[in-house]
Amino acid sequence: MSTSESIQMAGMGDGTSRTCPLPEPEEHQHQPAEHQHQDAVAAPLPQLMNLARYHTQPALTIRTEEPPPLQRVRTVSRSDSTRDRRFDHFKTFSGRLERQLSNLRGVAVDIEPAAADSNSNKMISEEETDDGGGGREVPTADRYFAALEGPELETLRPTEVSVLPEDETWPFLLRFPINAFGMCLGVSSQAMLWKTLQSEPSMAFLHVSPAVNNALWWVSTSLMALISFIYLLKVVFYFEAVRREFHHPIRVNFFFAPWIACLFLVKGMPYPVTDINHVVWYILMAPILFLDLKIYGQWMSGGDRRLSKVATPTNHLAVVGNFVGALLGAKMGLREVPIFFFAVGVVHYLVLFVTLYQRLPTNAQLPKELHPVFFLFIAAPSVASVGWARLCGEFNYAAKILLLHLLFLYMSLVVRINMFRGVRFSLAWWAYTFPMTSVAIATAVYASAVTNVLTRAMAVGLSGVATVTVAGVLVTTVYRAFVRKDLFPNDVSIAVTQRPKAKFGKILAHIRASGDGVKDLVFAVSRHGGSSGSDTNSASESPSPMARGRRRAEP
């Protein structure tokens, strides 16, 4: 059965398409007039290649004139041969699942990269693959500190090369960080605050409606479900990125945030907590226990993740979970196990507090963008004071000591208001919300134990400040996410190479493979002034292989 196939070139730039039949072999030249007319107007193959040259990433559509049951259309995308495969190192399936689905649909065919690709691009790609985790290894803590800078080690240093492409926007899941759960902490703690204002005897004069707690709880639950679903997709499709976040010296603390937020949601439920089955508490505290064993063990055993080296205010998240669990367990009627978590939290909070006060890692001031997380200093003692009061059944002296201690820390931060001016917005702003809400809850409980005008006024004032702060940060977050669309930039903190690799090495590899001269090398070095001094000195002392070849050729 004779078939005729045509190639349709779909231009991506101007949206037009031109169809040119393939030239017929000599044995098929004796055909009807319509076929001869088609051969007469057909463009020769060189002209066809010139025509395709002016279109970016054309698509080849091969149509076969066969009976309808056997007719098929295959689309071969030229972009498949030149697409950036560096994202595959972070994909759970390394792109294999996508190819299998495409083959099952029969609409796409993967073709091998063109043989005309330059050796320089291949060399750079292979080097980045080797450094980017081809062996499924993650960078060490020292490597994170050496390659990253910024308030939360989220910015790549100018002398470093990213594993992923820096000149394009990454997939959304790769840009969605674990610290997005900070939003859940802030909103869910508000549901717990308004339930406290509704139930505490000292706040009865406010006449808080239960509808406020119900609305905030459902909003918090919806936000928690949305963020959890998105991050679960990241775990499924980009597990390597999640793995790198878990080994990040600062990001690892935010893995406590989902479970703390869930504890807040259980504590802030519209109906009494005593009606909840104890199994729920054990399920939520099991991940916190696992993370405690992992993180506290690293703090104690030393190495590149010892506490004196990785200590930042975000480490308080690794302590707060124990106090929140003890508070909820005591409200649910448990006794011994909540005391165990409270004891673990108190001991490690004291060690962390002293370490942060001394600033042992660098003795340097925290970056300005990280100043909001100073409020995490008051998160642990505020939850601990209420937790100890629930365990003992009364707001005794130990609980009062913790409360008065956090009030002093709170005032010491408020009087330094200039320290928080001009801070660029980021997800770190949610560090304001959760601790301030915890202080308001602690003062409301304290007002029930020590009832007077001062304690009530303090509880109402701190509750109002916490509510306004959460509302302002939430509105700003929505504005940056949906209007400016810059809330989730490329998360370069997970794109760190395993070994130090300066930009100069990348330029040198490109020039050596492309065959350019030494003058181009000097020009490239002058353009990339941010290169490390060690690489520059080594390049100036050691000539390139091309230069050595030229010297040998000279008489």
Side-chain angles (χ1 to χ4, degrees):
M1 178 177 56
S2 63
T3 62
S4 61
E5 298 184 354
S6 61
I7 301 178
Q8 181 181 357
M9 308 299 296
M12 300 298 293
D14 54 3
T16 62
S17 62
R18 298 174 176 85
T19 303
C20 299
L22 290 174
E24 296 281 337
E26 294 182 0
E27 58 270 19
H28 296 289
Q29 290 182 357
H30 300 286
Q31 294 184 357
E34 57 273 16
H35 292 281
Q36 295 179 1
H37 176 71
Q38 183 179 1
D39 296 339
V41 298
L45 186 58
Q47 183 178 355
L48 179 62
M49 298 302 296
N50 294 333
L51 182 63
R53 184 182 305 170
Y54 297 98
H55 299 281
T56 60
Q57 296 184 351
L60 302 180
T61 302
I62 304 177
R63 303 179 181 273
T64 60
E65 295 181 359
E66 295 180 353
L70 300 178
Q71 189 174 3
R72 70 185 190 278
V73 178
R74 296 188 303 162
T75 303
V76 183
S77 177
R78 290 284 183 88
S79 62
D80 291 342
S81 61
T82 59
R83 73 177 179 89
D84 196 342
R85 299 180 182 272
R86 284 175 290 182
F87 292 114
D88 292 348
H89 303 303
F90 290 83
K91 290 183 179 180
T92 307
F93 304 99
S94 301
R96 292 190 297 269
L97 179 62
E98 298 177 0
R99 291 193 295 269
Q100 292 175 2
L101 294 177
S102 300
N103 293 333
L104 289 176
R105 289 195 304 266
V107 296
V109 178
D110 288 337
I111 59 178
E112 296 296 332
D117 289 344
S118 61
N119 295 330
S120 60
N121 293 336
K122 291 182 179 179
M123 182 180 298
I124 296 174
S125 174
E126 292 174 357
E127 291 177 356
E128 291 176 350
T129 299
D130 295 339
D131 292 339
R136 295 299 180 186
E137 298 179 0
V138 294
T140 61
D142 291 332
R143 182 70 189 118
Y144 279 110
F145 281 111
L148 299 173
E149 60 184 358
E152 296 180 359
L153 295 181
E154 82 286 1
T155 305
L156 203 65
R157 295 184 184 273
T159 57
E160 294 291 333
V161 175
S162 173
V163 175
L164 300 179
E166 304 179 37
D167 55 348
E168 62 182 271
T169 303
W170 301 352
F172 175 71
L173 294 179
L174 274 180
R175 295 183 285 114
F176 193 81
I178 184 64
N179 51 8
F181 282 98
M183 296 185 285
C184 301
L185 289 176
V187 181
S188 60
S189 62
Q190 278 292 305
M192 192 168 62
L193 169 64
W194 284 91
K195 183 179 180 180
T196 303
L197 296 178
Q198 172 194 344
S199 59
E200 287 298 325
S202 61
M203 299 289 105
F205 69 95
L206 294 176
H207 302 288
V208 177
S209 174
V212 179
N213 171 244
N214 293 343
L216 288 174
W217 189 84
W218 283 109
V219 171
S220 305
T221 304
S222 302
L223 180 63
M224 181 67 186
L226 176 62
I227 295 181
S228 300
F229 176 74
I230 295 176
Y231 201 80
L232 182 61
L233 291 179
K234 182 176 181 179
V235 173
V236 173
F237 294 103
Y238 294 97
F239 183 75
E240 179 63 22
V242 176
R243 213 163 136 254
R244 283 174 172 254
E245 281 190 306
F246 186 75
H247 287 81
H248 193 282
I250 294 180
R251 292 281 181 87
V252 64
N253 299 292
F254 285 93
F255 281 86
F256 288 89
W259 312 106
I260 299 175
C262 289
L263 293 173
F264 281 167
L265 289 176
V266 176
K267 176 68 172 59
M269 279 184 174
Y271 50 88
V273 179
T274 54
D275 299 339
I276 303 175
N277 196 308
H278 293 172
V279 178
V280 176
W281 185 85
Y282 285 106
I283 292 176
L284 294 179
M285 293 304 298
I288 294 181
L289 177 61
F290 168 77
L291 291 173
D292 285 346
L293 295 174
K294 173 71 174 179
I295 303 303
Y296 297 167
Q298 293 176 347
W299 291 357
M300 179 177 60
S301 61
D304 58 349
R305 297 181 186 274
R306 61 187 181 275
L307 181 60
S308 60
K309 185 171 184 177
V310 301
T312 62
T314 55
N315 291 112
H316 282 98
L317 291 174
V319 178
V320 170
N322 298 281
F323 296 137
V324 178
L327 170 60
L328 180 60
K331 289 287 291 184
M332 296 176 65
L334 300 173
R335 186 63 54 185
E336 297 301 325
V337 184
I339 293 178
F340 163 77
F341 280 100
F342 188 90
V344 172
V346 166
V347 172
H348 288 88
Y349 168 71
L350 294 176
V351 175
L352 178 62
F353 184 80
V354 173
T355 304
L356 290 175
Y357 250 57
Q358 295 179 350
R359 293 296 299 154
L360 291 178
T362 59
N363 291 326
Q365 184 180 3
L366 287 177
K368 192 173 185 179
E369 292 80 0
L370 196 56
H371 288 175
V373 300
F374 272 109
F375 277 83
L376 287 173
F377 273 96
I378 64 178
S382 60
V383 182
S385 63
V386 180
W388 183 251
R390 299 306 185 195
L391 288 172
C392 298
E394 60 176 349
F395 212 95
N396 54 19
Y397 285 108
K400 292 179 181 179
I401 290 174
L402 291 172
L403 177 68
L404 298 177
H405 164 63
L406 75 92
L407 289 178
F408 172 78
L409 292 177
Y410 191 92
M411 289 186 294
S412 66
L413 293 175
V414 171
V415 297
R416 290 169 175 79
I417 191 64
N418 292 331
M419 187 172 61
F420 304 99
R421 290 180 178 177
V423 179
R424 179 176 54 87
F425 178 81
S426 66
L427 290 177
W429 277 34
W430 283 97
Y432 282 118
T433 60
F434 153 58
M436 297 178 70
T437 305
S438 301
V439 173
I441 294 174
T443 53
V445 177
Y446 176 69
S448 297
V450 183
T451 305
N452 53 50
V453 177
L454 178 60
T455 55
R456 287 182 175 180
M458 184 171 57
V460 173
L462 293 176
S463 300
V465 172
T467 302
V468 171
T469 303
V470 171
V473 176
L474 181 61
V475 170
T476 306
T477 303
V478 173
Y479 171 74
R480 298 295 293 266
F482 298 100
V483 179
R484 297 187 57 176
K485 298 181 179 180
D486 60 351
L487 183 63
F488 301 107
N490 289 345
D491 190 12
V492 296
S493 60
I494 64 173
V496 178
T497 57
Q498 295 179 10
R499 297 180 298 274
K501 184 180 177 71
K503 288 185 177 180
F504 178 79
K506 180 177 179 179
I507 299 171
L508 182 61
H510 175 75
I511 293 177
R512 285 178 175 177
S514 60
D516 294 338
V518 181
K519 294 182 179 180
D520 294 335
L521 173 62
V522 177
F523 177 72
V525 173
S526 63
R527 288 183 58 187
H528 297 269
S531 303
S532 60
S534 60
D535 291 337
T536 306
N537 294 336
S538 62
S540 61
E541 295 174 1
S542 177
S544 63
M546 185 174 296
R548 290 195 298 265
R550 291 180 178 177
R551 291 178 182 177
R552 294 170 184 170
E554 292 179 358

